[in-house]
Amino acid sequence: MSRLGLAALAVLIPISAHAATFKAPVEELMAATASNWKEMKEDTETAPDYIDYFNEDFLKRLYSKDLVAKYREAAKYPAYDDGGSPFGYDPIVSGQDGCSLKDLTITEGTPKDGTDDVTVTFDNTHCFPERDPSQAKTTLVFKVIEEDGRPVIDEMVREGEDESTLKEELGELARYGAEAAAGGQ
């Protein structure tokens, strides 16, 4: 390859590494969430297959190595005896009951030094007549980093009254599970 060709290639490599938007993994995760909480129009309509937010494909593509390691440690202690997730609820919508996602917005911040905050808001309580209107909007802030040349979710912060992070919760689930396993022997 000529020097000119190598110089052109060197210029393109940094551009292609940054071409992916930081909100892409969050958009894919929220599309799965919206599908999981899809409102059924008729009793005869077939519900969509549930998309596990931590399936192997998503673990390989959407999350940072650190978040994957924390998830795998917590997953050693599933919430239910039949195995599966360490969560006993949907960690994105923060509940077991809810409505289809309404007024979903995904806003990318300003990327800086290979990181960005992607803010997601939605209402999944609109179908509950007794809901407190001041609690209608859920806000999540995804910490997205660049890892191995692509954007991945490194953390999720639930804003509001019970502010918590996904990594903190995974750590607690792993500690609780390990303690329960040790005490149960």
Side-chain angles (χ1 to χ4, degrees), residues 32-39 53 90 93 95-101:
T33 306
S35 176
N36 287 345
W37 290 92
K38 178 184 173 200
E39 183 176 337
Y53 306 134
D90 184 310
V93 301
Q96 293 178 327
D97 298 319
C99 318
S100 60
L101 303 188

Side-chain angles (χ1 to χ4, degrees), residues 135-151:
Q135 301 295 319
K137 184 171 80 170
T138 297
T139 301
L140 307 172
V141 178
F142 289 88
K143 307 293 183 179
V144 180
I145 63 170
E146 188 174 315
E147 187 174 81
D148 297 332
R150 61 189 171 82

Side-chain angles (χ1 to χ4, degrees), residues 101-105 121-123:
L101 303 188
K102 181 179 170 186
D103 302 327
L104 174 64
T105 64
T121 60
F122 58 87
D123 176 1

